[in-house]
């Protein structure tokens, strides 16, 4: 939610800031802005409603000089999306400009106090309140900027990642974080600041991740200085980021989402590389190996996640119970953190997150650790907050996911969960050697089978045109296919804005079947597995009420395929791996329907890729 970029160095700030914003646009895209400070202390602030490209157009003929600057791409929390509410916000005196990601919860009280002191506000944002507070403290106490920042941050309640410039110090850049991410890159005398490492990786591989309660003070020509809110110096290890980070293009695809759907065979291969060995028929994850005893002695697993990652967690539960006989619960992180859950020191909490920054998942991790549980993270974004907050973990290694609707991260998460389950099952002796070997052999060929599924893209694109009329969809599945139904419905909702519901197929007759008529498209995930006969009855129930059935079936199916109105085939695989294949047609269906309806697939309304606020 909201992307921040900052630069201080020997070059021009503007190009670094704009390029950085483009890479962070997945975090929010309702407005964007930039503040540039000239060496003479001149402060130019430009803001525009809409996307980064709109800001670029707006600044085309403006003075963009300056070696110091901050920039922001916004996902609105307080105040509607418009240029007035866009960041950077400037204090009344014109001295400070600030960008912010997060929420200042007690902003109303602070604003009221400042208004009594004569401060006037131009926006309805919580961010403007913070920059005014810094200005007020700096002038009241004649305080140095870092001291004023520390005092102001001690007064605020909430979450923030901020970047601040002070026109009285045109050679200094300030930043602070609490619960929202910030990374600082360093190269010679240049400093780069961003919400994630991608905008920085193009310039340097040396970075420092700011921790909660820390303030970074960057002075041109000096070393990075980090202090806490009590002004104690903080030491940080300089990390080296992997070289393969950085710019991700669309590679000729119309949208990042489609590119990422197509990347899945390669991504899943990357995810398994060095872990699944089909020749030796073994699967080994270093985190499982290193923490074997702790994982094997767990009384219970609790999976915490949000959205698509939560759907992957539902598949994880079935894998851990089916293969390892480990009782597993799955909780929405946002509920878990506030429901005073029973967490024991013998529990293992598994946190799943693509971005590694989801505020609710981070809070759930903190809660679990405070109660003594061991926390295992499954994450995509390397070096993000969640992998750093957990006891151990496994990356899914599917590369940057830019499309707001999660696709390859989902299949990557399911693959990692399957690998953990197999590795543990072997250690626990809950799987026999024959089944273990057969499952590894099958997992290894899933990328090839994914490629087969992608061949139905053309058929799905044509089919999608028929369904643009629909205002509602129902998705049904059973067993391992039930979370796939939920995920298919979520994909359709978020990018096409068509209302969609996912249900366990047999639950239909307990109420939702009342919705079925000849208008209602019903997507049924019905691969040939142990539950095939059961789901066949559910298909009959829908057809008997004239529902329009779109079925995902195993190739060669000659029963459901005859009853359904339309079929999409997937190759045969083992039941627990079906989701890795059956999800793909649903991703493509959502994608093509959204394209047919003229929606902005990569930047759906009201959404952001990384949800760093509650
Ligand atoms: C849906 C989607 C979201 C995320 C959710 C959690 O396509 O992307 O539902 O899955 O916001 O995000 P992460 O996985 O980054 O914690």
């Amino acid at each position: 939610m909201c992307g921040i970029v900052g630069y201080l160095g020997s070059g021009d700030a503007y190009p670094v800031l704009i390029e950085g914003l483009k890479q962070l646009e997945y975090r929010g895209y309702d407005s964007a802005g930039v503040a540039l400070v000239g060496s003479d202390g001149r402060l130019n602030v430009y803001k525009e409603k809409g996307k980064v490209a709109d800001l670029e157009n707006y600044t085309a003929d403006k003075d963009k000089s300056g070696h110091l600057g901050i920039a922001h791409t916004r996902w609105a929390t307080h105040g509607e999306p418009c240029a007035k509410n866009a960041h950077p916000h400037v204090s009344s005196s014109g001295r400070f400009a600030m960008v912010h990601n997060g929420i200042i919860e007690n902003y109303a009280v602070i604003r009221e106090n400042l208004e009594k002191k004569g401060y006037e506000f131009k926006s309805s944002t919580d961010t403007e309140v913070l920059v005014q507070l810094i200005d007020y403290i700096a002038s009241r106490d004649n305080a140095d900027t870092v001291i004023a920042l520390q005092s102001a941050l001690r007064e605020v309640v909430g979450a923030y990642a901020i970047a601040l410039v002070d026109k009285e110090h045109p050679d200094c850049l300030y930043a602070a974080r609490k619960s929202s991410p910030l990374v600082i890159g360093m190269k010679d005398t240049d400093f780069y600041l961003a919400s994630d490492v991608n905008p920085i990786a193009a310039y340097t591989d040396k970075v420092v991740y700011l921790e909660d309660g820390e303030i970074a003070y960057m002075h041109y020509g000096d070393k990075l200085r980090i202090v806490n809110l009590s002004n104690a110096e903080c030491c940080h290890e300089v990390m080296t980021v992997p070289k393969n980070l950085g710019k991700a293009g669309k590679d000729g695809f119309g949208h990042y989402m489609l590119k990422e759907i197509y990347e899945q065979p390669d991504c899943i291969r990357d995810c398994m590389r060095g872990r699944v060995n089909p020749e030796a028929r073994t699967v080994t994850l270093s985190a499982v190996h290193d923490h074997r005893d702790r994982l094997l002695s767990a009384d219970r697993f609790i999976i915490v996640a949000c959205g698509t990652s939560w759907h992957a967690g539902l598949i994880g539960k079935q894998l851990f119970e089916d293969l390892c006989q480990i009782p597993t619960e799955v909780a929405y992180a946002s509920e878990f953190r506030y429901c005073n859950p029973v967490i024991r020191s013998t529990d293992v909490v598994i946190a799943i997150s693509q971005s590694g920054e989801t505020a609710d998942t981070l809070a759930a991790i903190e809660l679990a650790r405070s109660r003594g549980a061991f926390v295992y993270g499954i994450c995509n974004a390397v070096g993000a907050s969640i992998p750093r907050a957990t006891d151990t973990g496994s990356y899914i290694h599917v590369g940057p996911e830019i499309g707001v609707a999660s696709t390859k991260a989902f299949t990557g998460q399911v693959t990692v969960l399957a690998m953990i389950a197999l590795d543990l099952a072997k250690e626990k002796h809950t799987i026999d050697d024959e089944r273990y070997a057969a499952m590894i052999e099958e997992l290894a060929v899933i990328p090839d089978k994914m490629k087969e599924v992608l061949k139905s893209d053309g058929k799905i694109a044509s089919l999608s045109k028929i369904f643009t009329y629909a205002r509602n969809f129902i998705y049904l599945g059973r067993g391992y296919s039930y979370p796939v139904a939920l995920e298919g419905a979520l994909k359709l909702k978020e990018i096409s804005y068509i209302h969609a519901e996912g249900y366990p197929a047999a639950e239909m007759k307990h109420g939702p079947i009342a919705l079925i008529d000849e208008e209602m498209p019903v997507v049924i995930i019905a691969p040939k597995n142990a539950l095939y006969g059961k789901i066949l009855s559910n298909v009959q129930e829908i057809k008997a009420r004239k529902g329009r059935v779109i079925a995902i079936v195993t190739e060669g199916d000659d029963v459901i395929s005859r009853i359904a109105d339309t079929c999409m085939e997937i190759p045969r695989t083992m039941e627990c791996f079906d989701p890795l294949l059956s999800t793909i047609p649903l991703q493509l269906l959502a994608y093509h329907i959204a394209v047919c309806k003229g929606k902005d697939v990569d930047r759906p309304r009201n959404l952001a890729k990384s949800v760093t606020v509650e």
Side-chain angles (χ1 to χ4, degrees), residues 319-337:
L319 286 162
F320 292 131
E321 295 192 336
D322 178 12
L323 301 180
C324 315
Q325 300 295 297
I326 299 173
T328 304
E329 291 170 21
V330 190
Y332 283 118
S334 54
E335 291 295 314
F336 180 82
R337 63 183 290 195

Side-chain angles (χ1 to χ4, degrees), residues 150 226-234:
Q150 284 163 334
I226 298 178
V227 292
N228 66 15
L229 296 192
S230 314
N231 212 26
E233 299 284 335
C234 307

